[in-house]
Amino acid sequence: MSDERSSLTNRIASPEEAARESRHEVLRELLGAYADRELPPETVAQIDAHLVGCAECRRGLEVHDTLRARLAVQPPAAASPAFRARIAAAIDAAPAPAAPRTSPDARVASGPRVVWLAVAGWVAATVLALALAVSTGLTSPLASSTRALATPVHAVPLLGAVVEDYARVSRGDLPGRARDLDAVRAAVSFPVEPLRSSNLRLLAAWTTEVNGEPAAVLAYRLDDRLLVQYLIAEDVFFRHPAIRAAVADHHLLRAADAGRTVVAWPEPSTGTVLVGDVPTETLQTIWRSESSR
C-alpha cells in the first residue's frame, strides 16, 4: 500500500514542478536554433541561464553543436550542368553596370587625403598602445595581491548572507533577466556596472536584501558555471573589520565555503562580492581584468 501511495505521489507533480517542466520542454525545442545563433538576445539569455543548471540540455546542445560542425565541413553539392548554364545565360543577359565618372582633380586630391588618414590612424594607435602600457604597468603589481579572510565566511554576516543567497538562487531559475539591468540601476542608490571580462555573459539582474541591506545582484555564465556578483553600498561593505583588514592596501579578499569560492573588493561608492563554484584562480583572473581597466 505504501508503495502505491509513493508511486501516486510521484506521478502528481506540484504546480511549480509542472511549470518548470513545461518551460524545460520549450527551451529544449529551441536548442537547435540556439546552436545556429538564430534566436533573439532575450531568448538566448534565458537558454544561457537554463543551461547552467540542466545537464540534459547541455548534452542536447552538444549533439546540435557536433552536427553543426560536421555540416560545416561537408563539401557543397555540385550544381547540375543545366543549372550552371541557366546562371551563365542570366549573367550574359544582364546589362553591364556603368562605371562612375571621376574627375582628374578628385583623383589627384584623394591621394594626399588617404596618406594623412593613414598617418593619423597610426599615431592614434601608437598613443593608445602607450597609454595601455602605462596603465598596465601601474596596475599589475596591485592586481597580483590577494589576502585570505582571517575568519570563517559565516563569521562575517555580510559574506554569510551572500553565500546563503547564492546557494538559494543557484538551485532554481534565476529571479531576473539581463534586460532588467536598467531597472536594477534605478532601484538602488549606488552605481551598478556589470563585469566586463570577455569570457563572462550576463544572464540576469535583480535586487535583493543581504543581511537586511539592499543589494544589486548580477548573474553571469562562465562556460557551464554560474557566477553571481553582489554589489553593496560602500559603507555596508566596509562595516566588518575582517573585510576592512582583508582588502586594505588594495588587496583582493578571498575565501572558501562548502566548495564555493568567494572574492570581494571595493570600488568607488560600492563593494563587490563574487561567488561561484569555480577555482579561486578563475575569480582572481576576473578581478585582475577589472583592475586593469
Side-chain angles (χ1 to χ4, degrees), residues 92-114:
D92 292 338
R101 299 179 61 184
T102 304
S103 66
D105 293 340
R107 287 196 298 268
V108 171
S110 64
R113 187 181 305 132
V114 171

Side-chain angles (χ1 to χ4, degrees), residues 112-158:
R113 187 181 305 132
V114 171
V115 172
W116 279 110
L117 286 174
V119 171
W122 179 85
V123 171
T126 303
V127 171
L128 181 60
L130 289 173
L132 181 60
V134 171
S135 173
T136 303
L138 290 174
T139 58
S140 291
L142 185 71
S144 63
S145 302
T146 65
R147 183 177 290 155
L149 185 68
T151 63
V153 168
H154 286 274
V156 181
L158 172 65

Side-chain angles (χ1 to χ4, degrees), residues 60-241:
L61 181 61
E62 288 177 0
V63 173
H64 285 289
D65 286 339
T66 301
L67 179 60
R68 187 169 181 268
R70 288 182 178 177
L71 291 176
V73 298
Q74 285 285 345
S80 66
F83 184 67
R84 291 198 299 270
R86 288 199 301 271
I87 292 177
I91 294 174
D92 292 338
R101 299 179 61 184
T102 304
S103 66
D105 293 340
R107 287 196 298 268
V108 171
S110 64
R113 187 181 305 132
V114 171
V115 172
W116 279 110
L117 286 174
V119 171
W122 179 85
V123 171
T126 303
V127 171
L128 181 60
L130 289 173
L132 181 60
V134 171
S135 173
T136 303
L138 290 174
T139 58
S140 291
L142 185 71
S144 63
S145 302
T146 65
R147 183 177 290 155
L149 185 68
T151 63
V153 168
H154 286 274
V156 181
L158 172 65
L159 300 182
V162 163
V163 296
E164 288 178 3
D165 190 76
Y166 172 84
R168 177 182 62 82
V169 300
S170 62
R171 286 194 296 264
D173 292 336
L174 299 177
R177 299 179 183 175
R179 68 178 183 182
D180 298 330
L181 180 59
D182 289 338
V184 169
R185 285 171 167 157
V188 296
S189 60
F190 45 83
V192 177
E193 293 298 330
L195 300 174
R196 292 160 291 183
S197 296
S198 59
N199 56 346
L200 294 179
R201 178 180 292 180
L202 181 64
L203 300 177
W206 67 93
T207 57
T208 189
E209 286 193 355
V210 174
N211 197 36
E213 300 288 350
V217 189
L218 306 181
Y220 305 88
R221 180 182 176 187
L222 174 64
D223 297 327
D224 290 328
R225 302 295 183 89
L226 176 69
L227 298 184
V228 181
Q229 177 190 17
Y230 293 81
L231 288 144
I232 305 105
E234 184 179 29
D235 60 323
V236 177
F237 180 81
F238 282 107
R239 187 171 294 167
H240 198 281

